[in-house]
Amino acid sequence: EAEVAQSPRYKITEKSQAVAFWCDPISGHATLYWYRQILGQGPELLVQFQDESVVDDSQLPKDRFSAERLKGVDSTLKIQPAELGDSAMYLCASSHGPSGRALSTDTQYFGPGTRLTVL
Amino acid sequence: AQSVTQLGSHVSVSEGALVLLRCNYSSSVPPYLFWYVQYPNQGLQLLLKYTSAATLVKGINGFEAEFKKSETSFHLTKPSAHMSDAAEYFCAVSEGDTGFQKLVFGTGTRLLVSP
């Protein structure tokens, strides 16, 4: 069964350093999501891509976070500089709506996540 | 904006007992509702979803949920708990068809299953 791949699984960094996370969605999934999950809370959407275009980044702290999906396949989420409050699980998900368009009924498939600890 | 409330951050049951995890939603339009499960240090996996077809939705691993508009609820149930059901469960609502999907998750309920 196809899965969403993420790396690294764990990352420890010091504050003010730069970190990057990678996600490879299920083949053929046009929609890709990055979520942040703080311990004890539900995931919160950071950014959503449709192919290579950003369709929602309203909750992305753009002063320090950036995301790209240059060829509309895999994606990278970067934090620079990292802050203590960025410690969380970063989840990537993908979905495939009919004709490549995301629908509200789509199933999102999640990767295993990257657990970030900022010291 | 749409939202979901999950009552009880922790629910404890004995193996073989009924599982009931509560979820209430707030929405100004007909909602689409989802239940996801998360095992320790893993991503989320879809259990089931309501997409305005049948109000009683059956999912994987013996779970089911019933959409009740009058109560704005979408509670998750399983007749008999198994040790392997111990995990974190998240209810989520999808905002309307705006050309993309945005899931809004609840804060989660941790299910503890004792022998």
Side-chain angles (χ1 to χ4, degrees):
Chain A
E1 181 177 301
E3 296 180 343
V4 176
Q6 289 188 248
S7 67
R9 290 294 309 277
Y10 303 90
K11 179 69 177 179
I12 299 174
T13 191
E14 294 184 346
K15 63 180 181 180
S16 80
Q17 295 299 304
V19 293
F21 314 131
W22 177 79
C23 172
D24 191 12
I26 293 173
S27 178
H29 281 196
T31 312
L32 185 147
Y33 313 79
W34 281 103
Y35 290 88
R36 177 172 58 187
Q37 184 180 20
I38 296 172
L39 191 63
Q41 299 183 22
E44 176 191 26
L45 181 69
L46 291 175
V47 61
Q48 178 179 350
F49 290 90
Q50 187 68 26
D51 298 307
E52 67 278 4
S53 301
V54 173
V55 296
D56 185 0
D57 63 356
S58 57
Q59 300 302 311
L60 187 71
K62 299 180 186 65
D63 57 333
R64 298 185 300 107
F65 286 64
S66 64
E68 61 182 15
R69 193 185 184 197
L70 294 177
K71 297 183 178 179
V73 181
D74 58 337
S75 176
T76 301
L77 178 69
K78 297 179 181 178
I79 308 175
Q80 182 174 16
E83 296 181 352
L84 296 178
D86 296 331
S87 294
M89 175 79 88
Y90 290 83
L91 295 164
C92 178
S94 68
S95 66
H96 175 64
S99 302
R101 175 176 174 265
L103 297 178
S104 293
T105 54
D106 286 348
T107 294
Q108 294 188 23
Y109 296 86
F110 285 79
T114 296
R115 182 168 295 283
L116 173 66
T117 301
V118 182
L119 303 175
Chain B
Q2 296 175 319
S3 65
V4 292
T5 301
Q6 292 185 243
L7 297 176
S9 59
H10 292 80
V11 170
S12 295
V13 300
S14 299
E15 191 173 21
L18 172 71
V19 175
L20 171 60
L21 304 181
R22 300 179 185 273
C23 173
N24 288 88
Y25 68 89
S26 172
S27 174
S28 58
V29 298
Y32 301 121
L33 295 160
F34 304 73
W35 274 101
Y36 280 85
V37 61
Q38 185 177 33
Y39 297 99
N41 293 315
Q42 294 186 27
L44 282 70
Q45 179 185 11
L46 180 71
L47 280 175
L48 49 81
K49 62 180 177 181
Y50 167 74
T51 59
S52 74
T55 57
L56 181 62
V57 182
K58 294 186 183 298
I60 62 172
N61 301 339
F63 285 93
E64 64 181 36
E66 186 172 8
F67 174 73
K68 292 186 176 180
K69 184 178 178 180
S70 61
E71 299 177 8
T72 62
S73 69
F74 190 57
H75 301 332
L76 182 70
T77 61
K78 182 175 180 177
S80 177
H82 192 272
M83 295 294 290
S84 61
D85 294 327
E88 187 94 22
Y89 292 80
F90 293 94
C91 182
V93 62
S94 179
E95 297 188 349
D97 282 315
T98 57
F100 57 91
Q101 180 193 56
K102 181 172 182 177
L103 280 179
V104 177
F105 287 87
T107 52
T109 297
R110 182 169 297 279
L111 177 65
L112 306 171
V113 183
S114 56

